[in-house]
Amino acid sequence: MSNSNPTTIESPWARRALIGVGFLFLALFLFLPLVMVFAGALAKGWSVFFETLVDPDALAAIRLTLLVAAISVPINAVFGVAASWAIAKFDFRGKSLLISLIDLPFSVSPVVSGLIFVLLFGAQGWLGPWLTEHGMRIIFAVPGIVLATVFVTFPFVARELIPLMAEQGRDDEEAARSLGANGWQIFWHVTLPNIRWGLLYGVLLCNARAMGEFGAVSVVSGHIRGLTNTMPLHVEILYNEYDFVGAFAVASLLASLALVTLGVKTVLEWRFGIHRAGAAH
Amino acid sequence: MSIVVDNISRRFGGFTALDRVTLETKPGEFLALLGPSGSGKTTLLRTIAGLDFADEGHVLFDGQDMTGTPAAERRIGFVFQNYALFRHMTVADNIAFGLTVRKRRDRPAKAAIAAKVAELLELIQLPQLGDRYPAQLSGGQRQRVALARALAIEPRLLLLDEPFGALDAQVRKDLRGWLRRIHDETGLTSIFVTHDQEEALEIADRIVVMRGGVIEQIGTPAEVQSAPATAFVSSFIGETNRLPVTRRDGAAIIGDGLATVPDEARGQGGGEIHIRPHDVELAQSGAADALPVTVLASRPIGRSRRITAELAGIAEPLTFDLPVAEEAAAGQSLSIRPVRYRIF
């Protein structure tokens, strides 16, 4: 927004004050904590910082976080594309219900999302006895963490693609169909190239959340060190044990991830700028 | 190729888009589906293309039932109003698309595809633009590329959905004549949808006038203009003055006895008379078969003079085209005799 914007009627003083308040707020609540994270991580120097990160438990947490993201992000990318394709390109009964269901994880508290899985698969849960009988563990194990993460992050890709695909309409697909292309060719050569930036953007947000999710994962994980601790959970444990440098070191990794996501997101927005207009959540 | 549309019906929820539509085209014909929005013309075109499927009825290509055949297997060229070019592909790749997606045993060699693309670029008079992207072309150029892409698969039938709808008036006029020439050169049976009667009259061999999912009339441009089958066709194609009449014993009384004209069809009761602006002449004042009008405005347009006039008791102003030499001033009274008219 430029200063010469004719719709601005406030005096220059008021405008500067507003901008100032905005920046002050950002500095206080975003920038300062971020600096504190890195400062805390490096409080005892680089060597301690690295030592903390190569600690077996920390490494296990990093590995688990990457594994969970590597499973849940592709699942949700596929699900998101399929759901948006169905919603944007076809008319069917229950379409608005499907749209509301996709939004559900956004409106439910992550803790509740985690509890759903405990109630379903936990020892006292619905399917618990059957699972125990067959020697399968879901709660307090990696499958539960993956399930909870998939649930919490599943709206990201779909939310990004539905408005984009709805705006693009069906003409391109129908043109391809009339030219003799089969369903797979249409998807691969026409639909996917049309949505690639939106898809990448959605995957990025999905990944950031998958790696950073705390609430739902905390409920189903059981906090078993070296086994079911993800990075956010590991941060909490270290912090509760007064190992501030360790907590901040792992936290700084997560913060770096956020910064990288932000950077790539900015580049993507710049790449396909106008298409983003209707896609905000 | 000849196409038969046999008793096609299509409903969307409670809305009837097509109601028992039957239609037959001759090979090599250029057919226009003309009607206001919601008349079912686009649904009919999409049903012929296989992009939509009828609830009842059949579609036959050269006598072969194609009703359930998917679009990909019909070998039809379809051109969309908004071009529907693949934005991430070059013009050449767009044109080649229909050939490159073929199964390997049916796919022409790379060189053959390139030659075909070059030939089509020549046909659409854009030989230099193969490397451009759709976003770098004007609307008219894009629509020509869309046509070339449709022609690349050597379709048996060309279907165009409002092909000029998104273009500005001048480009639209140029493209019309060009499309007609392409049609004549390729000899393809073509069907195009339009809501613009002028467009249909100018380039179609026959016009199918539709309203509310029903065909009102099928005829040559001359037929639909001079012998409209229904009041709707008469008022939709060309300008028409519509006045209420009472029909009695071979005479039609306009309004409350404003004028009485012969009624050859010898109908009875109420009706509507349609008089085209140029189907009138000036009469002696007081003539029983002429309308006593008061001139509201008069301006010369080309070789005629367009008169806007009002008639006592009729809310809508009337328009008439008289020879340009007939001076008429606002407020003047004139007697206008309908020479040709139709009563519905």
Side-chain angles (χ1 to χ4, degrees):
Chain A
M1 204 77 46
S2 78
N3 280 340
S4 59
N5 190 340
T7 57
T8 312
I9 47 159
E10 286 80 13
S11 66
W13 183 86
R15 231 182 300 150
R16 247 171 268 144
L18 281 171
I19 294 170
V21 168
F23 268 107
L24 193 70
F25 187 85
L26 279 177
L28 213 60
F29 288 93
L30 278 172
F31 190 64
L32 196 63
L34 203 60
V35 170
M36 289 311 292
V37 167
F38 285 97
L42 296 168
K44 290 183 185 162
W46 287 93
S47 58
V48 180
F49 174 79
F50 283 118
E51 258 167 50
T52 320
L53 288 184
V54 296
D55 169 77
D57 287 347
L59 278 180
I62 293 168
R63 225 177 290 129
L64 181 60
T65 295
L66 291 177
L67 175 74
V68 168
I71 297 171
S72 50
V73 172
I75 287 177
N76 279 333
V78 171
F79 163 80
V81 170
S84 350
W85 171 291
I87 286 167
K89 313 272 176 185
F90 298 99
D91 297 312
F92 54 90
R93 233 177 249 266
K95 190 162 159 174
S96 48
L97 183 71
L98 181 60
I99 296 174
S100 323
L101 282 179
I102 288 173
D103 276 343
L104 191 69
F106 274 164
S107 47
V108 171
S109 157
V111 177
V112 176
S113 312
L115 275 175
I116 295 169
F117 291 103
V118 173
L119 290 176
L120 265 178
F121 303 116
Q124 268 72 48
W126 232 40
L127 297 168
W130 187 86
L131 287 169
T132 322
E133 216 169 279
H134 290 79
M136 281 185 270
R137 275 195 81 95
I138 289 182
I139 299 304
F140 305 146
V142 175
I145 297 173
V146 171
L147 277 176
T149 307
V150 166
F151 180 82
V152 170
T153 59
F154 94 30
F156 284 94
V157 174
R159 274 282 109 194
E160 202 57 46
L161 291 183
I162 290 167
L164 181 65
M165 287 173 109
E167 177 207 311
Q168 289 176 347
R170 315 173 190 183
D171 281 3
D172 283 15
E173 280 80 9
E174 286 184 341
R177 195 137 53 97
S178 76
L179 290 167
N182 61 37
W184 182 246
Q185 287 171 322
I186 293 174
F187 176 73
W188 202 246
H189 296 298
V190 177
T191 308
L192 197 59
N194 278 346
I195 60 166
R196 57 189 161 185
W197 294 118
L199 179 60
L200 201 54
Y201 187 85
V203 163
L204 203 71
L205 292 180
C206 182
N207 183 58
R209 181 65 188 269
M211 291 189 172
E213 175 55 26
F214 179 83
V217 168
S218 168
V219 175
V220 296
S221 133
H223 307 265
I224 308 164
R225 257 188 222 227
L227 278 180
T228 64
N229 256 351
T230 60
M231 282 161 75
L233 301 183
H234 194 61
V235 171
E236 192 207 17
I237 289 184
L238 291 175
Y239 187 81
N240 286 346
E241 291 171 351
Y242 304 104
D243 180 359
F244 297 125
V245 171
F248 280 125
V250 179
S252 70
L253 271 191
L254 279 172
S256 310
L257 168 78
L259 290 177
V260 169
T261 304
L262 199 69
V264 180
K265 172 177 164 274
T266 312
V267 171
L268 283 181
E269 272 178 354
W270 168 73
R271 271 305 297 260
F272 84 130
I274 42 170
H275 294 300
R276 279 274 310 138
H281 6 244
Chain B
M1 190 177 63
S2 71
I3 296 114
V4 174
V5 170
D6 182 22
N7 250 317
I8 289 279
S9 292
R10 179 74 169 118
R11 275 170 293 276
F12 296 109
F15 175 74
T16 303
L18 292 173
D19 187 12
R20 281 161 293 163
V21 168
T22 296
L23 175 69
E24 199 167 327
T25 70
K26 304 181 188 95
E29 190 175 30
F30 202 163
L31 200 70
L33 303 180
L34 174 66
S37 62
S39 60
K41 55 193 192 305
T42 295
T43 307
L44 178 56
L45 192 81
R46 291 171 57 84
T47 306
I48 296 171
L51 294 174
D52 201 342
F53 292 92
D55 299 323
E56 286 158 44
H58 299 272
V59 176
L60 293 94
F61 287 4
D62 276 339
Q64 196 188 349
D65 194 336
M66 302 296 274
T67 312
T69 309
E73 289 161 35
R74 292 196 187 192
R75 235 181 78 217
I76 37 98
F78 201 99
V79 175
F80 292 81
Q81 177 173 1
N82 293 313
Y83 330 120
L85 291 177
F86 309 130
R87 64 204 89 176
H88 57 281
M89 292 184 203
T90 62
V91 165
D93 288 343
N94 262 284
I95 296 174
F97 185 84
L99 300 174
T100 51
V101 296
R102 283 194 188 162
K103 288 195 193 80
R104 184 161 302 167
R105 64 185 150 82
D106 303 326
R107 194 191 310 152
K110 269 213 168 101
I113 293 179
K116 181 84 193 171
V117 169
E119 179 196 321
L120 285 162
L121 282 169
E122 203 67 52
L123 179 77
I124 60 168
Q125 296 153 353
L126 300 173
Q128 311 302 328
L129 301 188
D131 296 331
R132 297 269 185 94
Y133 283 88
Q136 298 168 301
L137 304 182
S138 71
Q141 289 173 330
R142 283 183 215 180
Q143 197 55 297
R144 283 190 272 168
V145 172
L147 183 66
R149 183 178 68 179
L151 291 174
I153 59 166
E154 282 165 10
R156 302 190 283 174
L157 170 67
L158 191 59
L159 302 174
L160 307 105
D161 186 8
E162 300 261 8
F164 314 123
L167 302 171
D168 54 48
Q170 189 52 47
V171 181
R172 188 190 294 210
K173 267 208 152 81
D174 294 344
L175 273 189
R176 260 186 223 165
W178 177 78
L179 178 63
R180 177 72 218 200
R181 283 197 300 282
I182 298 264
H183 170 264
D184 293 342
E185 275 171 40
T186 57
L188 276 173
T189 308
S190 310
I191 304 178
F192 80 106
V193 158
T194 182
H195 63 269
D196 180 348
Q197 38 111 356
E198 198 188 316
E199 200 166 280
L201 293 173
E202 197 178 304
I203 56 176
D205 292 324
R206 284 197 303 160
I207 298 175
V208 178
V209 186
M210 299 186 68
R211 179 176 68 152
V214 185
I215 292 179
E216 293 263 322
Q217 185 173 11
I218 306 177
T220 63
E223 282 165 2
V224 294
Q225 283 181 94
S226 62
T230 64
F232 171 76
V233 175
S234 168
S235 54
F236 191 70
I237 295 182
E239 280 179 287
T240 294
N241 296 298
R242 298 156 68 178
L243 296 166
V245 293
T246 314
R247 309 168 83 176
R248 191 179 302 143
D249 306 325
I253 303 151
I254 301 174
D256 302 332
L258 293 163
T260 304
V261 295
D263 174 20
E264 280 167 26
R266 303 189 71 83
Q268 290 293 333
E272 197 173 69
I273 187 169
H274 288 205
I275 309 163
R276 301 238 187 254
H278 52 266
D279 287 344
V280 296
E281 63 184 17
L282 221 48
Q284 288 282 314
S285 75
D289 60 350
L291 297 164
V293 302
T294 310
V295 176
L296 292 173
S298 144
R299 60 172 66 237
I301 296 174
R303 277 193 287 172
S304 55
R305 176 173 294 281
R306 167 135 301 199
I307 309 270
T308 312
E310 69 179 347
L311 191 54
I314 306 292
E316 283 280 299
L318 309 176
T319 51
F320 301 109
D321 290 330
L322 294 174
V324 76
E326 303 287 356
E327 297 286 343
Q332 192 182 332
S333 293
L334 289 179
S335 274
I336 302 275
R337 176 186 292 130
V339 180
R340 272 179 302 273
Y341 49 84
R342 297 186 74 84
I343 302 170
F344 296 99

